[in-house]
Amino acid sequence: MICRYLCAVLLTATPLWGASARELTVELWATRPLTHLTATPVNAPRTPLEVEWVSDGLRTPTGARVKQLTLSGSYRLQAGDAPEAAAAGRWTIAWQPDGLRVLLTLPSEDYVIAALNGEAAPDEPMASLKAMAISIRSFALLHADRHQAEGFGLCDSTHCQALRLGHARAEVERAVRETAGETLWFGGRRAHVYYTQHCGGMSEPAQDVWRAERASYLSGHHADPYCLRRSPAEWHAQIALGQLSSIFEAQGWHTPSPIEAIRVTRRSAGGRAELLEVAGRGAPAHLSASSFRFAVDRALGWNQMRSNWYELTVSGASLEIAGRGYGHGVGLCQAGAYEMAREGHSELEILGFYFPGAVAGITPADHGWQQLAGAGWTLLTTRRDDGLLAAGNTAWARAQSILGHDVATPVVQELPTTELFRQATNQPGWMLASTRGSTVFLQPPGVRQNNPNSLLLHEFLHVLVEQEAGDKAPLWLREGLVETLASPVNDKPELVSVREIDAELAHPANAAASRHGHRVAAEVTALLCARYGVPAVRAFLRNGVPPDVIKTLGS
């Protein structure tokens, strides 16, 4: 439920260290050739849009040829056997000489949800979910323009971060919401963050994977007992030598044929293979271990070789590979983070273990989200404000005295920027607050600039009203009852139908329209309270407003 307290939009300059939230443009299905897709509006009775690539443009259902299509809103896109993508944002479908390009522009917090949705285990503990959310956000905001020369920001492959666009479970959304805007910082700059599925018990120095990456918090050689307690991550593969010859030939590599032996000639300090020698008939050839792994996985499946940490043995006509770990081994180990969380470590302890010296915060100058206990409610904030706590205690006690029942402990989250407020609530920046379930979102204190008691009373009443409301309770009654209980009105209602009021509340064209909708809803609800009494109106809230009562309102 959304509370429509209003304010003027405040425009602020982007800090020197970079924004804590922004829009991101992502290329979807970046590694797949696309020639046809279907775009279906979500929750809208419109015909799906079929788009087909042809040599001279995009062919639409009308037969017209265009070079680019733009869609705005919530859509579900399907492209052949590629995973479905469902999201709200700005979609661009563009013709390219080799197929379709699909770009999605979406808020950075929605991006974090999609990436975490794809990375998290189904039973992932909350602390490791939060550690991963902070890691994902750090990477995304630091590399937001990584593909700028190609006309977008990020891709959805592992070159950037893989996404799962669609329904996300409540725990994933909570982890993102409760870390909103938080990234890792080191020396006043946003940290370079990487993560790996399972490091095999020893982290790899980033410099051994990416030569230019020299950050001290990625120096590696870091024993990780946690991931090994979760699983040993041992794997095995067997590949026929003749098959390897075919793979090398397809890559354009000149290697001995037939192959008689392959051995590791150079390893990183952590033990992972860096250089291989291929021996047989003809001069030996040397291959990068990473190139070897990607060539094999591309040809035989991406789970054939899970890392570069392995031993090689030729047995008969086959190469036997015995390995450990999954991924490059740099940075946060997801298996280890899971185990740390399961053993009771917090997200900050997890991040401190994998990125020593880096700190989490929304800016390099704060300490991230702090949880403060109120009297029966919880405050999430980036700054301690005893005045807000006192105002919340008064408002929560007053709200309970008015409606007389308890709910799950309300959480008030004071967002530090208007952009984060917009992204957390999907509401315009001219609103002061928004309530969803038992969570109240507040604009920054500099935007609110009013008496916090009345604002928090209003929002806490929303929490209680929404807890009591049944499925048949109309929006105008839910909003109007809060307005009436918070600040009684005695004005005669305008001659506006309740359907019109609902429409104005649900989709206000601007702040003035929202203000008008709330005022009229309050006047109508106050009239009902005067005629039938507050207990009867609360029964309407639970069971719906009887048709004969609606008729008395002239609607």
Side-chain angles (χ1 to χ4, degrees), residues 22 45 100 121 166 168 172 188 222 260 307 336 379 423 425 468 476 481 526:
R22 55 168 287 180
L100 301 175
V172 167
H222 188 71
E260 297 175 358
S307 75
L379 174 63
Q423 294 204 14
T425 62
E468 191 170 343
W476 64 264
L481 185 58

Side-chain angles (χ1 to χ4, degrees), residues 235-530:
W235 53 269
H236 298 83
Q238 183 183 60
I239 308 169
L241 294 177
Q243 196 170 27
L244 283 175
S245 290
S246 298
I247 292 171
F248 297 164
E249 185 178 351
Q251 293 292 318
W253 299 339
H254 300 291
T255 58
S257 183
I259 297 172
E260 297 175 358
I262 301 180
R263 65 188 184 92
V264 179
T265 58
R266 190 177 74 221
R267 293 185 181 273
S268 69
R272 288 169 173 84
E274 291 185 337
L275 191 66
L276 308 180
E277 182 184 78
V278 182
R281 184 181 300 169
H286 295 90
L287 304 177
S288 148
S290 292
S291 298
F292 172 71
R293 177 161 66 95
F294 288 135
V296 168
D297 281 352
R298 188 178 295 112
L300 304 181
W302 290 103
N303 285 330
Q304 280 288 318
M305 297 188 65
R306 305 293 299 272
S307 75
N308 283 338
W309 198 350
Y310 51 72
E311 299 292 338
L312 301 177
T313 306
V314 172
S315 176
S318 296
L319 179 69
E320 303 281 351
I321 310 172
R324 61 191 298 190
Y326 310 139
H328 50 61
V330 177
L332 181 143
C333 173
Q334 290 173 266
Y338 179 108
E339 183 63 23
M340 287 187 74
R342 195 188 67 80
E343 294 179 14
H345 293 279
S346 71
E347 65 271 21
L348 296 183
E349 290 172 329
I350 293 170
L351 293 168
F353 180 78
Y354 288 109
F355 304 102
V359 295
I362 292 157
T363 73
D366 65 48
H367 299 290
W369 289 103
Q370 303 172 49
Q371 182 171 303
L372 307 176
W377 63 287
T378 300
L379 174 63
L380 284 177
T381 181
T382 58
R383 62 188 190 98
R384 184 174 183 91
D385 185 343
D386 291 332
L388 185 59
L389 271 175
N393 290 339
T394 301
W396 180 232
R398 175 65 178 149
Q400 290 179 296
S401 72
I402 293 173
L403 283 176
H405 64 91
D406 291 330
V407 293
T409 302
V411 174
V412 176
Q413 187 167 8
E414 183 186 51
L415 282 307
T417 68
T418 292
E419 180 59 25
L420 271 177
F421 174 83
R422 289 191 189 104
Q423 294 204 14
T425 62
N426 292 319
Q427 299 301 314
W430 40 260
M431 292 192 181
L432 285 179
S434 175
T435 295
R436 185 181 302 157
S438 60
T439 301
V440 176
F441 300 94
L442 298 180
Q443 284 263 24
V447 176
R448 298 196 307 268
Q449 295 181 342
N450 76 330
N451 181 350
N453 295 68
S454 61
L455 178 62
L456 286 171
L457 173 61
H458 196 282
E459 300 307 317
F460 282 145
L461 285 171
H462 258 301
V463 171
L464 294 171
V465 163
E466 291 306 313
Q467 179 75 12
E468 191 170 343
D471 293 339
K472 296 180 180 179
L475 181 57
W476 64 264
L477 179 62
R478 300 187 332 249
E479 294 285 357
L481 185 58
V482 168
E483 297 279 356
T484 300
L485 295 175
S487 181
V489 296
N490 298 305
D491 296 338
K492 184 178 179 180
E494 288 185 31
L495 294 177
V496 180
S497 74
V498 291
R499 286 186 179 181
E500 291 175 297
I501 300 172
D502 258 2
E504 193 168 44
L505 289 170
H507 304 289
N510 49 44
S514 180
R515 200 160 36 234
H516 176 263
H518 280 80
R519 178 176 60 79
V520 178
E523 292 167 355
V524 170
T525 307
L527 178 62
L528 289 181
C529 290

Side-chain angles (χ1 to χ4, degrees), residues 44-242:
R46 297 207 299 274
T47 303
L49 175 65
E50 302 280 344
V51 180
E52 184 179 2
W53 179 91
V54 290
S55 60
D56 58 348
L58 307 178
R59 183 162 59 200
T60 65
T62 64
R65 302 286 203 278
V66 297
K67 292 295 185 183
Q68 182 170 299
L69 292 169
T70 302
L71 306 172
S72 293
S74 295
Y75 281 84
R76 183 174 65 254
L77 267 64
Q78 296 166 293
D81 62 351
E84 181 180 280
R90 189 168 64 255
W91 302 82
T92 301
I93 305 166
W95 181 89
Q96 298 286 300
D98 56 350
L100 301 175
R101 169 179 282 176
V102 180
L103 305 180
L104 172 62
T105 300
L106 75 171
S108 53
E109 292 298 296
D110 289 351
Y111 172 95
V112 177
I113 290 174
L116 185 59
N117 199 32
E119 292 288 348
D123 59 345
E124 191 85 36
M126 184 52 61
S128 50
L129 280 173
K130 289 183 176 182
M132 276 298 298
I134 294 169
S135 300
I136 288 167
R137 188 181 295 108
S138 300
F139 183 96
L141 293 178
L142 182 65
H143 299 288
D145 299 313
R146 196 177 205 186
H147 289 275
Q148 186 175 33
E150 299 163 71
F152 54 95
L154 296 160
C155 68
D156 69 346
S157 78
T158 53
H159 173 262
C160 292
Q161 297 186 112
L163 305 180
R164 182 181 295 166
L165 290 162
H167 174 74
R169 67 183 191 275
E171 293 83 1
V172 167
E173 294 185 341
R174 177 189 161 195
V176 175
R177 181 179 69 246
E178 293 184 2
T179 63
E182 277 190 305
T183 57
L184 279 177
W185 302 89
F186 186 85
R189 296 178 180 273
R190 192 165 271 135
H192 291 210
V193 171
Y194 303 94
Y195 50 91
T196 192
Q197 188 178 353
H198 195 303
C199 72
M202 179 69 70
S203 65
E204 184 76 349
Q207 189 178 354
D208 288 348
V209 180
W210 304 285
R211 296 302 178 195
E213 189 62 85
R214 300 173 180 271
S216 63
Y217 51 86
L218 295 173
S219 58
H221 306 312
H222 188 71
D224 186 348
Y226 298 103
C227 63
L228 294 180
R229 289 207 283 270
R230 177 153 169 75
S231 73
E234 295 175 349
W235 53 269
H236 298 83
Q238 183 183 60
I239 308 169
L241 294 177

